[in-house]
């Protein structure tokens, strides 16, 4: 009985197969199973909700897999971005510091006791300001184009003014005095030997950098696409490294402008009055020395390496990590634990600083020691000098080597939904460990 029915059943089965093969769904499925890796179908659009990078920040310490491209991956094409001319590392992951901060507080609640102003800061600032005025006085009759003038400006002046840059950075988090206004005014004192008024503007831009790390249009520490395109060469990167002080000073105004407040106006008046007094009482050479010191501090100087070291991606991400739809976090903050931290308020401990902005510079090493299991395996630099060298010469590192995100964060300051104290010590609603 089975024999005569077999041909009919075979015919029916063949008809079913033909119908399936002709359906659009089956056709797409068939094509996808035979697509080569270099022609992978587009992934589904990601949801708008930010994804947490807790997996990289809250696990016990272990050696992570290096974000390096394997020999097999090097021959594969990089997934195309939405814009063929945009080579930033776009991500849908949340910035890592808030998640890690929460995990550290849970594991080591005692770290919250490290928050608060550091009394030593005001004495260090007073010493460095006095040192720069003294050097300007001693060089008042020295030719600007002489070796003594240049070497003093490079070795002493640039190091001192870099120290003052980072003193203002520290003070912007309310870490010199308990009173917020005292911090605003003292930041202007630290600003004096720099020669150009900037402390009042620096604070809201910098606090927004913390609150909106990597967010395009908010984080003014990010290079613009214009910079990345036109400086995408060895000569371009060398130009950027030489004149980066101008990029950091001017870029924020092209991203978004701050409203002029009384504190900004007072900063400008105080600085111009100081510059005038220096010229009248000491001489023009002294003011030239101070401004030259500021330029060299943000140029090819060992301490200036921290500008590039902090957030540029130096480990080449894997293809999976570079595909933003995979939501694989790319390390975007690097620390440095070398001797130059002595001159720079421990700014090299940058993961620690972003995790806890209300912990002063003197206690960041203690934070690292307490929560070492969270920091031991994070990316780090061994030399700021080598950072500059690698940035200029390494073809895999450029101004494109920054992590960007399109959402999250917000501006800090009046009219933007966050109080002036949101990212420092002495919150209006009580002291908190870092950022609310």
């Amino acid at each position: 009985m089975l024999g005569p029915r077999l041909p009919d059943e075979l015919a029916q089965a063949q008809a079913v197969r033909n119908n399936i093969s002709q359906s659009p769904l089956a056709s797409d499925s068939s094509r996808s199973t035979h697509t080569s890796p270099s022609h992978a179908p587009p992934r589904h659009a990601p949801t708008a909700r930010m994804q947490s990078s807790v997996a990289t920040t809250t696990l016990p310490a272990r050696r992570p897999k290096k974000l390096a491209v394997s020999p097999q991956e090097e021959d594969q094409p990089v997934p195309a971005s939405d814009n063929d001319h945009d080579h930033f590392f776009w991500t849908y992951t949340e910035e890592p510091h808030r998640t890690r901060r929460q995990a550290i507080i849970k594991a080591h609640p005692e770290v919250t006791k490290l928050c608060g102003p550091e009394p030593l800061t005001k004495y260090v600032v007073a010493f460095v300001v006095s040192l720069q005025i003294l050097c300007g006085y001693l060089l008042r009759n020295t030719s600007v184009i002489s070796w003594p003038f240049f070497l003093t400006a490079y070795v002493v002046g640039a190091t001192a003014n870099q120290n003052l840059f980072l003193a203002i950075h520290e003070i912007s988090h309310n870490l010199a005095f308990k009173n917020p206004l005292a911090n605003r005014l003292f930041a202007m004192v630290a600003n004096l030997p720099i020669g150009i008024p900037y402390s009042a503007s620096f604070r809201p831009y910098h606090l927004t950098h913390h609150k909106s790390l990597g967010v395009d249009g908010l984080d003014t520490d990010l290079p613009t696409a214009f910079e990345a395109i036109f400086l995408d060469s060895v000569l371009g990167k060398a130009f950027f490294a030489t004149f980066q002080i101008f990029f950091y000073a001017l870029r924020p105004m092209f991203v978004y402008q701050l409203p002029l407040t009384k504190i900004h106006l007072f900063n400008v008046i105080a600085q111009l009055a100081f510059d005038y007094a220096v010229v009248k009482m000491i001489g023009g050479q002294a003011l030239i020395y101070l401004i030259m010191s500021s330029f060299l501090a943000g140029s090819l100087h060992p301490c200036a390496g921290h500008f590039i070291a902090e957030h540029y991606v130096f480990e080449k991400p894997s293809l999976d990590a570079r595909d933003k739809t995979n939501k694989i976090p790319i390390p975007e903050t690097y620390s440095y634990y070398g001797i130059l931290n002595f001159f720079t308020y421990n700014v090299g401990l940058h993961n620690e600083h972003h995790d806890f902005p209300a912990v002063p510079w003197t206690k960041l090493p203690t934070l690292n020691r307490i929560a070492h299991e969270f920091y031991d395996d994070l990316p780090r630099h061994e030399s700021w000098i080598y950072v500059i060298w690698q940035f200029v010469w390494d073809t895999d590192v450029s101004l494109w080597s920054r992590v960007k995100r399109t959402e999250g964060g917000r501006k800090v300051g009046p009219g933007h939904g966050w109080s002036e104290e949101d990212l420092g010590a002495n919150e209006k609603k009580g002291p908190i460990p870092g950022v609310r």
Side-chain angles (χ1 to χ4, degrees):
M1 295 178 63
L2 293 176
R5 295 177 58 186
L6 185 57
D8 293 336
E9 291 176 355
L10 290 175
Q12 292 173 2
Q14 182 63 38
V16 171
R17 282 196 297 269
N18 290 339
N19 290 335
I20 293 175
S21 65
Q22 292 172 4
S23 70
L25 182 61
S27 178
D28 290 344
S29 174
S30 175
R31 282 195 298 270
S32 66
T33 57
H34 292 86
T35 302
S36 66
S38 61
H39 295 84
R43 299 178 181 269
H44 293 294
T47 59
R49 191 170 68 87
M50 300 290 286
Q51 300 296 319
S52 172
S53 57
V54 63
T56 64
T57 57
T58 61
L59 294 177
R62 62 179 181 179
R63 299 309 304 179
K65 184 182 293 185
K66 283 284 188 178
L67 292 178
V69 177
S70 64
Q72 291 81 8
E73 290 176 319
E74 289 180 352
D75 296 331
Q76 299 178 16
V78 176
S81 63
D82 296 337
N83 185 342
D84 291 339
H85 301 291
D86 189 331
H87 303 295
F88 291 112
F89 299 134
W90 289 94
T91 181
Y92 289 111
T93 62
E94 179 189 57
E95 62 90 9
H97 300 288
R98 183 179 69 89
T99 304
R100 185 163 55 238
R101 174 170 56 254
Q102 293 171 341
I104 291 175
I105 293 173
K106 183 176 181 180
H108 304 284
E110 67 273 20
V111 299
T112 61
K113 298 179 181 179
L114 300 176
C115 300
E118 170 53 65
L120 181 61
T121 300
K122 58 181 173 288
Y123 301 111
V124 176
V125 170
F127 170 76
V128 177
V129 169
S130 301
L131 174 65
Q132 282 294 79
I133 295 174
L134 175 62
C135 287
Y137 175 80
L138 295 176
L139 293 172
R140 66 191 184 281
N141 296 320
T142 305
S143 173
V144 174
I145 57 174
S146 65
W147 279 110
F149 194 99
F150 176 80
L151 289 177
T152 304
Y154 186 85
V155 177
V156 179
T159 305
N161 276 13
Q162 183 66 249
N163 177 274
L164 293 173
F165 290 160
L166 294 167
I168 293 172
H169 165 261
E170 189 78 4
I171 299 167
S172 72
H173 292 286
N174 290 340
L175 293 176
F177 298 95
K178 293 181 179 180
N179 183 279
L181 180 59
N183 284 285
R184 302 293 83 72
L185 297 176
F186 193 62
M188 296 180 196
V189 174
N191 195 156
L192 295 177
I194 294 171
I196 306 295
Y198 93 102
S199 65
S201 297
F202 172 80
R203 184 171 191 268
Y205 281 127
H206 178 68
L207 299 189
T208 299
H209 161 69
H210 272 269
K211 191 63 189 173
S212 307
L213 181 65
V215 178
D216 190 39
L218 290 179
D219 185 358
T220 58
D221 188 66
L222 292 168
T224 62
F226 178 85
E227 297 170 64
I229 290 172
F230 286 95
L231 300 176
D232 193 16
S233 65
V234 170
L235 288 178
K237 292 187 291 182
F239 179 87
F240 176 82
T242 303
F243 298 98
Q244 59 183 312
I245 189 67
F246 294 116
F247 288 91
Y248 283 103
L250 299 176
R251 180 194 301 139
M253 294 183 289
F254 289 94
V255 178
Y256 69 89
Q257 295 183 348
L258 296 171
L260 184 64
T261 65
K262 292 180 180 179
I263 202 74
H264 290 87
L265 184 60
F266 189 67
N267 185 197
V268 172
I269 293 173
Q271 189 64 56
L272 292 178
F274 174 82
D275 292 348
Y276 178 79
V278 167
V279 172
K280 295 297 291 185
M281 299 175 65
I282 303 177
Q285 303 290 75
L287 183 60
I288 293 174
Y289 163 78
L290 295 177
I291 295 177
M292 181 182 289
S293 297
S294 296
F295 167 75
L296 294 173
S299 184
L300 299 177
H301 188 276
C303 292
H306 82 87
F307 289 122
I308 298 172
E310 291 165 357
H311 295 294
Y312 281 82
V313 178
F314 277 75
E315 292 184 349
K316 190 173 182 180
S318 66
L319 289 180
D320 286 340
R322 293 185 67 178
D323 185 348
K324 58 187 178 183
T325 60
N326 288 335
K327 301 181 179 65
I328 299 176
I330 298 175
E332 56 193 290
T333 304
Y334 287 62
S335 289
Y336 160 79
Y337 300 99
I339 192 172
L340 293 180
N341 281 308
F342 175 80
F343 302 101
T344 55
Y345 287 89
N346 281 326
V347 75
L349 282 72
H350 216 64
N351 272 296
E352 293 84 344
H353 169 65
H354 268 267
D355 289 351
F356 291 89
V359 172
W361 60 282
T362 53
K363 297 178 181 177
L364 288 175
T366 304
L367 170 63
N368 176 276
R369 185 168 60 254
I370 293 174
H372 66 90
E373 71 272 21
F374 290 90
Y375 296 113
D376 288 347
D377 293 330
L378 294 181
R380 66 178 65 190
H381 291 292
E382 302 300 328
S383 167
W384 279 343
I385 297 175
Y386 183 68
V387 162
I388 298 175
W389 176 270
Q390 184 179 359
F391 175 79
V392 172
W393 291 103
D394 191 337
T395 57
D396 290 329
V397 181
S398 69
L399 276 80
W400 294 113
S401 302
R402 290 294 298 266
V403 174
K404 279 193 175 186
R405 43 183 59 87
T406 58
E407 57 185 24
R410 64 186 74 179
K411 295 177 184 176
V412 172
H416 299 304
W418 289 89
S419 71
E420 285 289 314
E421 311 308 315
D422 270 333
L423 292 167
N426 309 309
E427 298 286 337
K428 289 182 178 179
K429 296 183 179 179
I432 61 169
V435 188
R436 206 169 355 200

